[in-house]
Amino acid sequence: RDMNLLAPNGVQIYNLSSGKTLPQWLSEKKQRDLKHNEEYRRRVELIQDLEFPTASQCIKESPDSQYLIATGVYPPQIRIFELNQMSLKAVRNLEANIINFTILSQDYSKLLLLREDRTLEFHAQYGS
């Protein structure tokens, strides 16, 4: 796929956001029909702010496929991304690193975190 490429002073810079975007008003039927469009199927979409200061340990998708939940270290935190908006929804700083977590609801509203110090921590949409 051709991406918009700039090369000032011999440094190649790819503009990943220069492609066509899908209008919000497009009907669901027309959106489904796009699965046969080769250019649409090969597009690149990036989630804004999908990064951690040091590293991410675990990433899971919610059962309703609307959210991506990721844990990171230093500082220990959990980040929730809303996939239909392709953006960061919430960040929570934690007291200990997370070894693993389970999503207890269809969305991000209830989580069970296994901490590095062997304790279980329940998190709900309104707080822990």
Side-chain angles (χ1 to χ4, degrees):
R1 176 176 178 188
D2 294 328
M3 289 187 239
N4 190 1
L5 173 66
L6 302 172
N9 299 325
V11 177
Q12 293 184 348
I13 301 172
Y14 293 91
N15 185 352
L16 299 177
S17 62
S18 67
K20 298 176 185 174
T21 59
L22 202 59
Q24 296 291 328
W25 48 264
L26 198 60
S27 71
E28 287 185 30
K29 182 188 179 315
K30 288 187 179 183
Q31 289 179 10
R32 282 192 308 270
D33 291 343
L34 286 174
K35 69 181 178 182
H36 303 295
N37 182 321
E38 186 67 27
E39 182 180 331
Y40 177 76
R41 288 180 31 218
R42 295 177 50 100
R43 76 190 185 288
V44 175
E45 292 188 46
L46 302 174
I47 298 175
Q48 298 297 314
D49 300 317
L50 183 56
E51 64 182 3
F52 283 89
T54 303
S56 176
Q57 291 180 305
C58 191
I59 299 175
K60 294 183 181 181
E61 182 180 15
S62 65
D64 66 1
S65 298
Q66 296 296 312
Y67 300 96
L68 188 70
I69 303 163
T71 61
V73 296
Y74 196 70
Q77 59 183 216
I78 189 163
R79 292 184 178 204
I80 301 166
F81 300 91
E82 192 168 1
L83 295 177
N84 64 356
Q85 297 294 320
M86 300 297 283
S87 63
L88 181 64
K89 178 144 186 93
V91 176
R92 286 208 181 145
N93 290 319
L94 307 166
E95 294 177 7
N97 288 333
I98 303 303
I99 302 300
N100 202 352
F101 69 93
T102 300
I103 304 168
L104 300 174
S105 61
Q106 289 298 309
D107 56 5
Y108 70 94
S109 62
K110 294 178 184 171
L111 303 172
L112 176 62
L113 310 175
L114 172 61
R115 292 174 25 163
E116 190 174 50
D117 60 4
R118 296 187 187 181
T119 59
L120 295 174
E121 188 172 324
F122 289 91
H123 274 259
Q125 184 176 4
Y126 51 82
S128 58

